[in-house]
Amino acid sequence: MSVLERLLIRLRQVPAAAGVVIWAVDQVEHGSGRIWRTSQDPWLAANATAAELTIRSPDSPLAAGPDGDSLAAWSAHQPVGPRFGPHDYPPRRDYGRYLHQVFEQLRAAAPAGVRVRPVLGVATDLSRAGGGLVLTLDHGRRQLRVNRAVLATGHSDLEPTAGQRALAAHCDRHPGLRYLRPSIAADMPLDELPAGETVAVRGLGLTFYDVVACLTTGRGGRFQREADGRLRYLASGREPRLAAGSRSGLPFLARPELTGPPQLTPHPVVLTESLVDRLRERAAGQRGSGQLDFSAEIEPVIQTELDHAYYGCAVQLRRGRRAGEQFRSDFRAAVGRWGTVDRARVAQLAAGHGVPDLAEPRIAALARPFSGQTFARPSAFRDRLTCLLRADVAAARAGTAASPLKAAMETLRSLRPALPGIVDFGGLLPQSQRDFLNRFAPMSFLLSAGPPAAQVERLVALLEAGIVEVPGPSARFSPGDRPGSFVVCSPAVPGSRRLARTLVEARAPGGDLPKDTSPLLRNLRRTGLISEYVTTDPVTGERYRTGGLAVTGAPYRVIDAAGRPAEDLYAIGVLTQNTRWFTQVGTGRPGQGSPLCRDADAIALALLGPTAADDTWNLAG
Ligand SMILES: Cc1cc2nc3c(=O)[nH]c(=O)nc-3n(C[C@H](O)[C@H](O)[C@H](O)COP(=O)(O)OP(=O)(O)OC[C@H]3O[C@@H](n4cnc5c(N)ncnc54)[C@H](O)[C@@H]3O)c2cc1C
């Protein structure tokens, strides 16, 4: 959608644009696509507010409504359908309706001589022939000859890991067992799970919240506010019981309620581009290459950012705005050349400004609060977990101005757009990139990319009602020793073992090109038109296979198996994740340029390219 929009904007600026055909191929639905498809259930909600969501760039060719071009503004002018307030988290299908409508409006507003032609089908192959590209659809039923192509295939499915294969094989051996592979909840056959049965769920992230919504609200359950303010779950009797776990045993925490307008641009206090340049220079001097060690060189700087937000908020709460500003100013003065403040100095500053008694906001401790602990029995763990989640809901509702912890976590979230400059295209040492992807990124998502507070509060009610149970930290999922079961248990909680006949992998598959099952991507790999991005330490020769699709820097030309950038093939979005970072956020912010918009524009310009006025530009159909 973004590439289409930017292309139409750029085509207005090219005088010789007549005769251009843009084929928009999607196998699900145009505009909305798979993630936002309009037929999904209403309890699957977007993770951004209606005021934040938009697909349009600031210079969109479509006229903005009187109150802007967010989903909230759009919904206010629809003759039918729900209206959303700025702070509502809308159902995904409603954002999908908006996206579909924008798609149709963009089509209609295409400049003279330019046609946008939607094609509903699966692209299964792409090859070079006769100086152009041939796109094969539906395994050969149709073909399109084109001059250039953009891969924007988003999330796809992956081959199972050895562990997943073992679980699936166990399932095959025992009729009656079900194993649901990683996917998005809207595509899982959750309706088939019987009421009352125990279902094991692996993963406590956003897909877990979706699965929970489908199996509770989606089964007719309701939530009711009690006189004491607590939320209570009123079961319909049609729910299964969920035994859900993860490494940490902690579900994704709530997003704080925003106090200001939604922002996409990071405003780092310390983690600036110039600091990153200095760190790279130091690394080059010390190690011979500018690749950074994320945990040793960047995480301490992120900690500085968190401390600044956290103690600044705490001082302000206790002693007023002026005192908060004074703390922040003193803190910034204490930041050293490499973006850090000595721990003892942080403690001294905090004490000096009247907050001597606060626990430090350490990412690892917050994301793994049960690490190394044991619990006497399942109820002891449940009480601890519900207590923690209840406090989290209260902090999220208080917002970033009244909760130091949420101020710090929102800072962590807002730094995400700054990370590509550090991580992309081998910006980290190979082993450090692995560590970033496997350790830091999951913790940062858990703490700062969670659902709205209302969903966490509902989870607390479900834990209290016994509909959802979390066995404890380091949950293990295995084939049952008794036939006809999967086992879920936590080694830290005696008595937590549960048997289930269904195991759900509550995780959207990440990007991993060699394991991707998409026929299109498989064919492109087989013929060498695309390749996996491998990051290499130029000094030691150490390599790390990232799983991302190899592309150049902007305009993101696809790199073939021989290492050559393509002139006619580009890629954007999830497919390039791990080569780049932060490629998943597919929405902008009203009136603001977003990274997505910028990337899409670079591709649009390259698509027009120096041959834009050439006859060969006319796309054959
Ligand atoms: C469950 C879920 C919820 C999310 N919620 C949010 C959110 O609230 N806010 C947010 O900013 N981001 C969210 N995201 C991130 C999401 O990745 C982006 O919002 C956005 O959808 C990414 O856009 P995309 O076009 O890159 O990929 P997608 O939206 O995945 O679109 C890719 C499209 O390509 C089609 N396709 C793929 N291969 C082929 C083929 N071979 N032939 C034809 N068509 C093909 C697919 O059908 C799909 O429609 C969510 C992601 C998931 C998985």
Side-chain angles (χ1 to χ4, degrees), residues 25-28 32-36 46-48 53 92 121-123 152-155 184 210 508 518 520 573-574 584-587:
V25 183
D26 200 293
Q27 62 202 14
V28 177
S32 44
R34 178 184 177 205
I35 302 299
W36 308 98
N47 210 26
L53 284 164
R92 261 173 232 153
V122 192
T153 49
H155 301 264
I184 62 171
D210 282 350
S518 149
L520 173 66
V574 182
Q584 298 207 5
V585 170
T587 66

PDB file of all heavy atoms in Angstrom, residues 25-28 32-36 46-48 53 92 121-123 152-155 184 210 508 518 520 573-574 584-587, ligand 1:
ATOM      1  N   VAL A  25      -0.863  -7.408  -6.659  1.00  0.00           N
ATOM      2  CA  VAL A  25      -1.182  -8.829  -6.484  1.00  0.00           C
ATOM      3  C   VAL A  25      -1.294  -9.158  -5.007  1.00  0.00           C
ATOM      4  O   VAL A  25      -0.367  -8.902  -4.231  1.00  0.00           O
ATOM      5  CB  VAL A  25      -0.072  -9.712  -7.111  1.00  0.00           C
ATOM      6  CG1 VAL A  25      -0.441 -11.180  -7.002  1.00  0.00           C
ATOM      7  CG2 VAL A  25       0.171  -9.323  -8.552  1.00  0.00           C
ATOM      8  N   ASP A  26      -2.408  -9.687  -4.602  1.00  0.00           N
ATOM      9  CA  ASP A  26      -2.534 -10.184  -3.225  1.00  0.00           C
ATOM     10  C   ASP A  26      -3.434 -11.411  -3.237  1.00  0.00           C
ATOM     11  O   ASP A  26      -4.417 -11.464  -3.981  1.00  0.00           O
ATOM     12  CB  ASP A  26      -3.110  -9.122  -2.281  1.00  0.00           C
ATOM     13  CG  ASP A  26      -2.782  -9.447  -0.823  1.00  0.00           C
ATOM     14  OD1 ASP A  26      -3.294 -10.461  -0.301  1.00  0.00           O
ATOM     15  OD2 ASP A  26      -1.988  -8.696  -0.218  1.00  0.00           O
ATOM     16  N   GLN A  27      -3.081 -12.356  -2.381  1.00  0.00           N
ATOM     17  CA  GLN A  27      -3.853 -13.598  -2.380  1.00  0.00           C
ATOM     18  C   GLN A  27      -5.064 -13.514  -1.456  1.00  0.00           C
ATOM     19  O   GLN A  27      -5.905 -14.411  -1.467  1.00  0.00           O
ATOM     20  CB  GLN A  27      -2.969 -14.769  -1.954  1.00  0.00           C
ATOM     21  CG  GLN A  27      -2.422 -14.633  -0.554  1.00  0.00           C
ATOM     22  CD  GLN A  27      -1.170 -15.480  -0.350  1.00  0.00           C
ATOM     23  OE1 GLN A  27      -0.569 -15.953  -1.292  1.00  0.00           O
ATOM     24  NE2 GLN A  27      -0.795 -15.664   0.901  1.00  0.00           N
ATOM     25  N   VAL A  28      -5.146 -12.456  -0.661  1.00  0.00           N
ATOM     26  CA  VAL A  28      -6.224 -12.397   0.334  1.00  0.00           C
ATOM     27  C   VAL A  28      -7.228 -11.293   0.009  1.00  0.00           C
ATOM     28  O   VAL A  28      -8.404 -11.569  -0.229  1.00  0.00           O
ATOM     29  CB  VAL A  28      -5.644 -12.213   1.754  1.00  0.00           C
ATOM     30  CG1 VAL A  28      -6.758 -12.075   2.780  1.00  0.00           C
ATOM     31  CG2 VAL A  28      -4.747 -13.394   2.118  1.00  0.00           C
ATOM     32  N   SER A  32      -6.151  -4.333   2.571  1.00  0.00           N
ATOM     33  CA  SER A  32      -6.057  -4.888   3.925  1.00  0.00           C
ATOM     34  C   SER A  32      -5.080  -6.048   4.000  1.00  0.00           C
ATOM     35  O   SER A  32      -4.327  -6.179   4.966  1.00  0.00           O
ATOM     36  CB  SER A  32      -7.441  -5.335   4.375  1.00  0.00           C
ATOM     37  OG  SER A  32      -8.063  -6.025   3.316  1.00  0.00           O
ATOM     38  N   GLY A  33      -5.084  -6.905   2.988  1.00  0.00           N
ATOM     39  CA  GLY A  33      -4.184  -8.057   3.012  1.00  0.00           C
ATOM     40  C   GLY A  33      -4.550  -9.055   4.095  1.00  0.00           C
ATOM     41  O   GLY A  33      -5.646  -9.016   4.657  1.00  0.00           O
ATOM     42  N   ARG A  34      -3.588  -9.924   4.376  1.00  0.00           N
ATOM     43  CA  ARG A  34      -3.856 -11.030   5.299  1.00  0.00           C
ATOM     44  C   ARG A  34      -4.035 -10.553   6.747  1.00  0.00           C
ATOM     45  O   ARG A  34      -4.955 -10.985   7.439  1.00  0.00           O
ATOM     46  CB  ARG A  34      -2.658 -11.993   5.213  1.00  0.00           C
ATOM     47  CG  ARG A  34      -2.750 -13.176   6.135  1.00  0.00           C
ATOM     48  CD  ARG A  34      -1.459 -13.980   6.027  1.00  0.00           C
ATOM     49  NE  ARG A  34      -1.471 -15.100   6.947  1.00  0.00           N
ATOM     50  CZ  ARG A  34      -0.380 -15.671   7.427  1.00  0.00           C
ATOM     51  NH1 ARG A  34       0.810 -15.228   7.075  1.00  0.00           N
ATOM     52  NH2 ARG A  34      -0.468 -16.677   8.267  1.00  0.00           N
ATOM     53  N   ILE A  35      -3.173  -9.652   7.182  1.00  0.00           N
ATOM     54  CA  ILE A  35      -3.176  -9.266   8.600  1.00  0.00           C
ATOM     55  C   ILE A  35      -4.439  -8.478   8.964  1.00  0.00           C
ATOM     56  O   ILE A  35      -4.991  -8.623  10.042  1.00  0.00           O
ATOM     57  CB  ILE A  35      -1.934  -8.399   8.926  1.00  0.00           C
ATOM     58  CG1 ILE A  35      -0.650  -9.155   8.584  1.00  0.00           C
ATOM     59  CG2 ILE A  35      -1.937  -7.925  10.371  1.00  0.00           C
ATOM     60  CD1 ILE A  35      -0.426 -10.423   9.316  1.00  0.00           C
ATOM     61  N   TRP A  36      -4.861  -7.648   8.048  1.00  0.00           N
ATOM     62  CA  TRP A  36      -5.983  -6.737   8.356  1.00  0.00           C
ATOM     63  C   TRP A  36      -7.239  -7.129   7.593  1.00  0.00           C
ATOM     64  O   TRP A  36      -8.110  -6.297   7.357  1.00  0.00           O
ATOM     65  CB  TRP A  36      -5.575  -5.307   7.991  1.00  0.00           C
ATOM     66  CG  TRP A  36      -4.276  -4.887   8.600  1.00  0.00           C
ATOM     67  CD1 TRP A  36      -3.053  -4.899   7.992  1.00  0.00           C
ATOM     68  CD2 TRP A  36      -4.044  -4.413   9.935  1.00  0.00           C
ATOM     69  NE1 TRP A  36      -2.094  -4.455   8.861  1.00  0.00           N
ATOM     70  CE2 TRP A  36      -2.671  -4.154  10.061  1.00  0.00           C
ATOM     71  CE3 TRP A  36      -4.884  -4.186  11.038  1.00  0.00           C
ATOM     72  CZ2 TRP A  36      -2.093  -3.680  11.234  1.00  0.00           C
ATOM     73  CZ3 TRP A  36      -4.312  -3.703  12.204  1.00  0.00           C
ATOM     74  CH2 TRP A  36      -2.933  -3.463  12.295  1.00  0.00           C
ATOM     75  N   ALA A  46      -6.371  -4.156  16.712  1.00  0.00           N
ATOM     76  CA  ALA A  46      -5.081  -3.544  16.370  1.00  0.00           C
ATOM     77  C   ALA A  46      -4.353  -3.193  17.650  1.00  0.00           C
ATOM     78  O   ALA A  46      -4.975  -2.996  18.705  1.00  0.00           O
ATOM     79  CB  ALA A  46      -5.297  -2.292  15.541  1.00  0.00           C
ATOM     80  N   ASN A  47      -3.063  -3.093  17.548  1.00  0.00           N
ATOM     81  CA  ASN A  47      -2.269  -2.765  18.720  1.00  0.00           C
ATOM     82  C   ASN A  47      -1.834  -1.307  18.706  1.00  0.00           C
ATOM     83  O   ASN A  47      -0.805  -0.941  19.248  1.00  0.00           O
ATOM     84  CB  ASN A  47      -1.042  -3.685  18.764  1.00  0.00           C
ATOM     85  CG  ASN A  47      -0.620  -3.925  20.178  1.00  0.00           C
ATOM     86  OD1 ASN A  47      -1.442  -3.849  21.075  1.00  0.00           O
ATOM     87  ND2 ASN A  47       0.647  -4.181  20.382  1.00  0.00           N
ATOM     88  N   ALA A  48      -2.604  -0.516  18.018  1.00  0.00           N
ATOM     89  CA  ALA A  48      -2.346   0.919  17.963  1.00  0.00           C
ATOM     90  C   ALA A  48      -3.708   1.603  18.032  1.00  0.00           C
ATOM     91  O   ALA A  48      -4.727   1.011  17.655  1.00  0.00           O
ATOM     92  CB  ALA A  48      -1.639   1.263  16.660  1.00  0.00           C
ATOM     93  N   LEU A  53      -3.347   5.216  13.833  1.00  0.00           N
ATOM     94  CA  LEU A  53      -3.311   4.401  12.623  1.00  0.00           C
ATOM     95  C   LEU A  53      -3.587   5.215  11.359  1.00  0.00           C
ATOM     96  O   LEU A  53      -4.595   5.911  11.260  1.00  0.00           O
ATOM     97  CB  LEU A  53      -4.357   3.282  12.729  1.00  0.00           C
ATOM     98  CG  LEU A  53      -3.984   2.105  13.633  1.00  0.00           C
ATOM     99  CD1 LEU A  53      -5.221   1.276  13.973  1.00  0.00           C
ATOM    100  CD2 LEU A  53      -2.928   1.220  12.996  1.00  0.00           C
ATOM    101  N   ARG A  92      -9.082  -5.167  14.087  1.00  0.00           N
ATOM    102  CA  ARG A  92      -8.222  -5.174  12.902  1.00  0.00           C
ATOM    103  C   ARG A  92      -9.041  -5.085  11.624  1.00  0.00           C
ATOM    104  O   ARG A  92      -8.632  -4.490  10.638  1.00  0.00           O
ATOM    105  CB  ARG A  92      -7.404  -6.470  12.880  1.00  0.00           C
ATOM    106  CG  ARG A  92      -6.018  -6.277  13.405  1.00  0.00           C
ATOM    107  CD  ARG A  92      -5.295  -7.597  13.521  1.00  0.00           C
ATOM    108  NE  ARG A  92      -4.764  -7.678  14.858  1.00  0.00           N
ATOM    109  CZ  ARG A  92      -4.523  -8.781  15.511  1.00  0.00           C
ATOM    110  NH1 ARG A  92      -4.772  -9.952  14.965  1.00  0.00           N
ATOM    111  NH2 ARG A  92      -4.045  -8.746  16.725  1.00  0.00           N
ATOM    112  N   GLY A 121      -4.757 -13.377  -6.371  1.00  0.00           N
ATOM    113  CA  GLY A 121      -4.126 -14.658  -6.681  1.00  0.00           C
ATOM    114  C   GLY A 121      -2.798 -14.776  -5.966  1.00  0.00           C
ATOM    115  O   GLY A 121      -2.310 -13.801  -5.380  1.00  0.00           O
ATOM    116  N   VAL A 122      -2.228 -15.977  -6.032  1.00  0.00           N
ATOM    117  CA  VAL A 122      -0.927 -16.202  -5.382  1.00  0.00           C
ATOM    118  C   VAL A 122       0.169 -16.087  -6.426  1.00  0.00           C
ATOM    119  O   VAL A 122       0.121 -16.770  -7.451  1.00  0.00           O
ATOM    120  CB  VAL A 122      -0.834 -17.638  -4.799  1.00  0.00           C
ATOM    121  CG1 VAL A 122       0.379 -17.756  -3.878  1.00  0.00           C
ATOM    122  CG2 VAL A 122      -2.090 -18.027  -4.102  1.00  0.00           C
ATOM    123  N   ALA A 123       1.135 -15.241  -6.141  1.00  0.00           N
ATOM    124  CA  ALA A 123       2.318 -15.199  -7.008  1.00  0.00           C
ATOM    125  C   ALA A 123       3.175 -16.397  -6.619  1.00  0.00           C
ATOM    126  O   ALA A 123       3.540 -16.551  -5.455  1.00  0.00           O
ATOM    127  CB  ALA A 123       3.076 -13.903  -6.769  1.00  0.00           C
ATOM    128  N   ALA A 152       6.635  -7.466  -1.394  1.00  0.00           N
ATOM    129  CA  ALA A 152       6.130  -6.900  -0.128  1.00  0.00           C
ATOM    130  C   ALA A 152       5.255  -7.970   0.518  1.00  0.00           C
ATOM    131  O   ALA A 152       4.110  -7.714   0.883  1.00  0.00           O
ATOM    132  CB  ALA A 152       5.351  -5.619  -0.400  1.00  0.00           C
ATOM    133  N   THR A 153       5.821  -9.171   0.615  1.00  0.00           N
ATOM    134  CA  THR A 153       5.000 -10.347   0.927  1.00  0.00           C
ATOM    135  C   THR A 153       4.672 -10.502   2.410  1.00  0.00           C
ATOM    136  O   THR A 153       3.920 -11.406   2.767  1.00  0.00           O
ATOM    137  CB  THR A 153       5.691 -11.622   0.424  1.00  0.00           C
ATOM    138  OG1 THR A 153       7.046 -11.615   0.869  1.00  0.00           O
ATOM    139  CG2 THR A 153       5.669 -11.686  -1.093  1.00  0.00           C
ATOM    140  N   GLY A 154       5.240  -9.662   3.268  1.00  0.00           N
ATOM    141  CA  GLY A 154       4.843  -9.683   4.680  1.00  0.00           C
ATOM    142  C   GLY A 154       5.188 -10.985   5.376  1.00  0.00           C
ATOM    143  O   GLY A 154       6.197 -11.617   5.087  1.00  0.00           O
ATOM    144  N   HIS A 155       4.296 -11.366   6.284  1.00  0.00           N
ATOM    145  CA  HIS A 155       4.544 -12.568   7.095  1.00  0.00           C
ATOM    146  C   HIS A 155       4.235 -13.807   6.272  1.00  0.00           C
ATOM    147  O   HIS A 155       3.177 -13.893   5.677  1.00  0.00           O
ATOM    148  CB  HIS A 155       3.611 -12.569   8.301  1.00  0.00           C
ATOM    149  CG  HIS A 155       3.771 -11.370   9.169  1.00  0.00           C
ATOM    150  ND1 HIS A 155       4.563 -11.355  10.280  1.00  0.00           N
ATOM    151  CD2 HIS A 155       3.264 -10.121   9.066  1.00  0.00           C
ATOM    152  CE1 HIS A 155       4.535 -10.164  10.829  1.00  0.00           C
ATOM    153  NE2 HIS A 155       3.740  -9.391  10.119  1.00  0.00           N
ATOM    154  N   ILE A 184      -0.880 -16.735  12.542  1.00  0.00           N
ATOM    155  CA  ILE A 184      -1.621 -15.661  13.190  1.00  0.00           C
ATOM    156  C   ILE A 184      -2.958 -16.253  13.646  1.00  0.00           C
ATOM    157  O   ILE A 184      -3.489 -17.178  13.011  1.00  0.00           O
ATOM    158  CB  ILE A 184      -1.796 -14.436  12.269  1.00  0.00           C
ATOM    159  CG1 ILE A 184      -2.591 -14.784  11.019  1.00  0.00           C
ATOM    160  CG2 ILE A 184      -0.457 -13.863  11.881  1.00  0.00           C
ATOM    161  CD1 ILE A 184      -2.975 -13.558  10.203  1.00  0.00           C
ATOM    162  N   ASP A 210      -4.325 -12.761  21.319  1.00  0.00           N
ATOM    163  CA  ASP A 210      -5.337 -13.014  20.277  1.00  0.00           C
ATOM    164  C   ASP A 210      -6.019 -14.363  20.504  1.00  0.00           C
ATOM    165  O   ASP A 210      -7.246 -14.477  20.388  1.00  0.00           O
ATOM    166  CB  ASP A 210      -4.678 -13.047  18.891  1.00  0.00           C
ATOM    167  CG  ASP A 210      -4.374 -11.658  18.343  1.00  0.00           C
ATOM    168  OD1 ASP A 210      -4.839 -10.673  18.940  1.00  0.00           O
ATOM    169  OD2 ASP A 210      -3.683 -11.577  17.321  1.00  0.00           O
ATOM    170  N   ALA A 508       3.426 -15.628  15.689  1.00  0.00           N
ATOM    171  CA  ALA A 508       3.467 -15.409  14.236  1.00  0.00           C
ATOM    172  C   ALA A 508       4.880 -15.757  13.786  1.00  0.00           C
ATOM    173  O   ALA A 508       5.834 -15.380  14.460  1.00  0.00           O
ATOM    174  CB  ALA A 508       3.156 -13.957  13.920  1.00  0.00           C
ATOM    175  N   SER A 518       6.866 -20.249   1.358  1.00  0.00           N
ATOM    176  CA  SER A 518       6.180 -19.600   0.232  1.00  0.00           C
ATOM    177  C   SER A 518       6.762 -20.115  -1.091  1.00  0.00           C
ATOM    178  O   SER A 518       7.981 -20.031  -1.322  1.00  0.00           O
ATOM    179  CB  SER A 518       6.378 -18.081   0.342  1.00  0.00           C
ATOM    180  OG  SER A 518       6.403 -17.500  -0.941  1.00  0.00           O
ATOM    181  N   LEU A 520       6.706 -18.814  -3.950  1.00  0.00           N
ATOM    182  CA  LEU A 520       7.376 -17.725  -4.654  1.00  0.00           C
ATOM    183  C   LEU A 520       8.814 -17.564  -4.155  1.00  0.00           C
ATOM    184  O   LEU A 520       9.768 -17.541  -4.936  1.00  0.00           O
ATOM    185  CB  LEU A 520       6.598 -16.421  -4.447  1.00  0.00           C
ATOM    186  CG  LEU A 520       7.266 -15.159  -4.989  1.00  0.00           C
ATOM    187  CD1 LEU A 520       7.342 -15.203  -6.502  1.00  0.00           C
ATOM    188  CD2 LEU A 520       6.536 -13.908  -4.526  1.00  0.00           C
ATOM    189  N   GLY A 573       9.587  -4.447   3.891  1.00  0.00           N
ATOM    190  CA  GLY A 573       8.764  -5.050   4.943  1.00  0.00           C
ATOM    191  C   GLY A 573       9.387  -6.264   5.600  1.00  0.00           C
ATOM    192  O   GLY A 573      10.606  -6.471   5.565  1.00  0.00           O
ATOM    193  N   VAL A 574       8.527  -7.073   6.180  1.00  0.00           N
ATOM    194  CA  VAL A 574       8.918  -8.201   7.040  1.00  0.00           C
ATOM    195  C   VAL A 574       9.964  -9.108   6.387  1.00  0.00           C
ATOM    196  O   VAL A 574      10.851  -9.636   7.063  1.00  0.00           O
ATOM    197  CB  VAL A 574       7.663  -9.043   7.382  1.00  0.00           C
ATOM    198  CG1 VAL A 574       8.001 -10.193   8.308  1.00  0.00           C
ATOM    199  CG2 VAL A 574       6.586  -8.163   7.994  1.00  0.00           C
ATOM    200  N   GLN A 584       8.603  -4.265  10.503  1.00  0.00           N
ATOM    201  CA  GLN A 584       7.264  -4.849  10.615  1.00  0.00           C
ATOM    202  C   GLN A 584       6.171  -3.818  10.778  1.00  0.00           C
ATOM    203  O   GLN A 584       5.020  -4.114  10.515  1.00  0.00           O
ATOM    204  CB  GLN A 584       7.190  -5.761  11.841  1.00  0.00           C
ATOM    205  CG  GLN A 584       8.128  -6.908  11.746  1.00  0.00           C
ATOM    206  CD  GLN A 584       7.640  -8.093  12.539  1.00  0.00           C
ATOM    207  OE1 GLN A 584       6.565  -8.061  13.081  1.00  0.00           O
ATOM    208  NE2 GLN A 584       8.439  -9.119  12.604  1.00  0.00           N
ATOM    209  N   VAL A 585       6.554  -2.662  11.313  1.00  0.00           N
ATOM    210  CA  VAL A 585       5.500  -1.692  11.566  1.00  0.00           C
ATOM    211  C   VAL A 585       4.993  -1.177  10.232  1.00  0.00           C
ATOM    212  O   VAL A 585       5.705  -0.534   9.476  1.00  0.00           O
ATOM    213  CB  VAL A 585       5.996  -0.556  12.474  1.00  0.00           C
ATOM    214  CG1 VAL A 585       4.983   0.568  12.542  1.00  0.00           C
ATOM    215  CG2 VAL A 585       6.232  -1.113  13.858  1.00  0.00           C
ATOM    216  N   GLY A 586       3.758  -1.545   9.934  1.00  0.00           N
ATOM    217  CA  GLY A 586       3.228  -1.267   8.611  1.00  0.00           C
ATOM    218  C   GLY A 586       2.305  -0.075   8.604  1.00  0.00           C
ATOM    219  O   GLY A 586       1.520   0.098   7.677  1.00  0.00           O
ATOM    220  N   THR A 587       2.374   0.732   9.624  1.00  0.00           N
ATOM    221  CA  THR A 587       1.488   1.889   9.662  1.00  0.00           C
ATOM    222  C   THR A 587       2.332   3.132   9.939  1.00  0.00           C
ATOM    223  O   THR A 587       3.392   3.037  10.535  1.00  0.00           O
ATOM    224  CB  THR A 587       0.435   1.753  10.777  1.00  0.00           C
ATOM    225  OG1 THR A 587       1.096   1.792  12.028  1.00  0.00           O
ATOM    226  CG2 THR A 587      -0.308   0.442  10.662  1.00  0.00           C
TER     227      THR A 587
HETATM  228  C1  LIG B   1      -1.329 -10.573  14.013  1.00  0.00           C
HETATM  229  C2  LIG B   1      -0.588  -9.303  13.695  1.00  0.00           C
HETATM  230  C3  LIG B   1      -1.044  -8.088  14.191  1.00  0.00           C
HETATM  231  C4  LIG B   1      -0.371  -6.914  13.898  1.00  0.00           C
HETATM  232  N1  LIG B   1      -0.830  -5.747  14.419  1.00  0.00           N
HETATM  233  C5  LIG B   1      -0.164  -4.605  14.157  1.00  0.00           C
HETATM  234  C6  LIG B   1      -0.609  -3.343  14.688  1.00  0.00           C
HETATM  235  O1  LIG B   1      -1.568  -3.282  15.442  1.00  0.00           O
HETATM  236  N2  LIG B   1       0.061  -2.223  14.348  1.00  0.00           N
HETATM  237  C7  LIG B   1       1.160  -2.259  13.514  1.00  0.00           C
HETATM  238  O2  LIG B   1       1.745  -1.240  13.202  1.00  0.00           O
HETATM  239  N3  LIG B   1       1.587  -3.436  13.033  1.00  0.00           N
HETATM  240  C8  LIG B   1       0.976  -4.583  13.325  1.00  0.00           C
HETATM  241  N4  LIG B   1       1.446  -5.762  12.834  1.00  0.00           N
HETATM  242  C9  LIG B   1       2.648  -5.749  12.005  1.00  0.00           C
HETATM  243  C10 LIG B   1       2.303  -5.927  10.529  1.00  0.00           C
HETATM  244  O3  LIG B   1       3.391  -6.612  10.014  1.00  0.00           O
HETATM  245  C11 LIG B   1       2.118  -4.620   9.813  1.00  0.00           C
HETATM  246  O4  LIG B   1       1.140  -3.833  10.386  1.00  0.00           O
HETATM  247  C12 LIG B   1       1.733  -4.731   8.331  1.00  0.00           C
HETATM  248  O5  LIG B   1       0.607  -5.587   8.160  1.00  0.00           O
HETATM  249  C13 LIG B   1       2.874  -5.152   7.501  1.00  0.00           C
HETATM  250  O6  LIG B   1       2.536  -4.888   6.185  1.00  0.00           O
HETATM  251  P1  LIG B   1       3.122  -5.678   4.981  1.00  0.00           P
HETATM  252  O7  LIG B   1       2.407  -5.209   3.790  1.00  0.00           O
HETATM  253  O8  LIG B   1       4.609  -5.591   5.016  1.00  0.00           O
HETATM  254  O9  LIG B   1       2.794  -7.201   5.279  1.00  0.00           O
HETATM  255  P2  LIG B   1       1.373  -7.920   5.333  1.00  0.00           P
HETATM  256  O10 LIG B   1       0.370  -7.081   6.000  1.00  0.00           O
HETATM  257  O11 LIG B   1       1.661  -9.290   5.863  1.00  0.00           O
HETATM  258  O12 LIG B   1       0.955  -8.006   3.794  1.00  0.00           O
HETATM  259  C14 LIG B   1       1.564  -8.854   2.869  1.00  0.00           C
HETATM  260  C15 LIG B   1       0.518  -9.326   1.892  1.00  0.00           C
HETATM  261  O13 LIG B   1       1.143 -10.062   0.883  1.00  0.00           O
HETATM  262  C16 LIG B   1       0.307 -11.122   0.517  1.00  0.00           C
HETATM  263  N5  LIG B   1       1.165 -12.136  -0.089  1.00  0.00           N
HETATM  264  C17 LIG B   1       2.259 -12.721   0.436  1.00  0.00           C
HETATM  265  N6  LIG B   1       2.798 -13.575  -0.425  1.00  0.00           N
HETATM  266  C18 LIG B   1       2.026 -13.526  -1.522  1.00  0.00           C
HETATM  267  C19 LIG B   1       2.075 -14.194  -2.781  1.00  0.00           C
HETATM  268  N7  LIG B   1       3.045 -15.057  -3.040  1.00  0.00           N
HETATM  269  N8  LIG B   1       1.127 -13.931  -3.685  1.00  0.00           N
HETATM  270  C20 LIG B   1       0.146 -13.031  -3.425  1.00  0.00           C
HETATM  271  N9  LIG B   1       0.057 -12.365  -2.267  1.00  0.00           N
HETATM  272  C21 LIG B   1       0.978 -12.620  -1.331  1.00  0.00           C
HETATM  273  C22 LIG B   1      -0.341 -11.568   1.812  1.00  0.00           C
HETATM  274  O14 LIG B   1      -1.554 -12.190   1.556  1.00  0.00           O
HETATM  275  C23 LIG B   1      -0.529 -10.243   2.529  1.00  0.00           C
HETATM  276  O15 LIG B   1      -1.794  -9.732   2.304  1.00  0.00           O
HETATM  277  C24 LIG B   1       0.789  -6.947  13.103  1.00  0.00           C
HETATM  278  C25 LIG B   1       1.256  -8.170  12.626  1.00  0.00           C
HETATM  279  C26 LIG B   1       0.591  -9.339  12.923  1.00  0.00           C
HETATM  280  C27 LIG B   1       1.138 -10.652  12.419  1.00  0.00           C
END
